[in-house]
């Protein structure tokens, strides 16, 4: 599905779309193949909002070594998301914005996490930020959530 020139894969918190595998197949994955993962990422994105919102308009800003902004809200949300992923999938790999991880495709499942996308807006008190969580299986996207 294309929206404004962007191709959507996985789902947002309000819209669920089938994921197309990169193996050349044009058939969407069966819902049963990713229902549990989808429910997990949707729950985690909502829980991340519960972690983040108490810091809105009242958080100190630090700068990472690359010069980008980071806050306690970013770190706490990623810690929560990581802990819940590891509880549900102890053998999975996690690559997160704040705490890193394996930047290469890994065998099995790899979760991609940006706990607070839009930190600059968040710090300024502008409600233009969200949580991004995705799951790759053998390097292929399975599900993804954008929670605004």
């Amino acid at each position: 599905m294309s929206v404004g020139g962007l191709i959507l894969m996985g789902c947002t918190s309000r819209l669920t779309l089938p994921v197309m595998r990169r193996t050349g197949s044009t058939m969407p994955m069966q819902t049963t193949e990713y229902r549990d993962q989808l429910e997990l990422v949707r729950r985690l994105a909502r829980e991340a909002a519960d972690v983040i919102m108490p810091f809105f308009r009242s958080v100190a800003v630090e700068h990472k070594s690359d010069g980008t902004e980071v806050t306690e809200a970013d770190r706490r949300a990623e810690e929560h998301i990581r802990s819940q992923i590891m509880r549900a999938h102890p053998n999975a790999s996690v690559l997160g914005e704040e705490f890193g991880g394996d930047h290469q495709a890994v065998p099995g499942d790899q979760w991609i996490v940006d706990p607070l996308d839009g930190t600059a807006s968040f710090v300024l008190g502008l409600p233009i930020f969200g949580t991004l969580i995705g799951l790759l299986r053998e390097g292929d996207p399975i599900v993804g959530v954008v929670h605004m």
Side-chain angles (χ1 to χ4, degrees):
M1 174 179 211
S2 177
V3 177
L6 298 175
I7 297 173
L8 301 178
M9 296 181 74
C11 74
T12 66
S13 60
R14 297 173 196 224
L15 175 66
T16 302
L17 301 170
V19 174
M20 307 301 266
R21 288 190 183 263
R22 290 186 295 168
T23 57
S25 169
T26 58
M27 296 300 296
M29 292 181 62
Q30 297 299 314
T31 302
T32 55
E33 288 186 60
Y34 70 94
R35 182 179 296 135
D36 292 342
Q37 291 86 355
L38 176 60
E39 289 307 312
L40 175 63
V41 295
R42 292 176 81 182
R43 178 178 61 84
L44 292 178
R46 288 189 301 268
E47 290 174 3
D50 293 339
V51 172
I52 291 166
M53 289 311 295
F55 293 96
F56 189 54
R57 297 187 173 138
S58 65
V59 68
V61 180
E62 297 174 36
H63 289 87
K64 297 186 268 188
S65 61
D66 66 2
T68 58
E69 296 175 329
V70 64
T71 68
E72 189 66 22
D74 293 90
R75 290 186 187 113
R76 286 193 187 179
E78 185 170 324
E79 286 170 345
H80 175 77
I81 293 167
R82 282 176 174 271
S83 71
Q84 295 304 304
I85 289 171
M86 296 315 293
R87 172 185 267 168
H89 301 280
N91 296 322
S93 171
V94 179
L95 173 60
E97 169 107 11
E98 309 314 328
F99 300 109
D102 195 340
H103 290 265
Q104 302 298 319
V106 299
D109 289 351
Q110 183 179 35
W111 297 82
I112 311 299
V113 177
D114 186 347
L116 181 50
D117 186 46
T119 300
S121 295
F122 181 80
V123 167
L124 293 171
L126 302 174
I128 307 169
F129 56 88
T131 298
L132 314 175
I133 306 171
L135 172 61
L136 303 177
R137 179 162 295 146
E138 304 297 337
D140 289 330
I142 301 298
V143 294
V145 168
V146 175
H147 186 269
M148 304 293 289

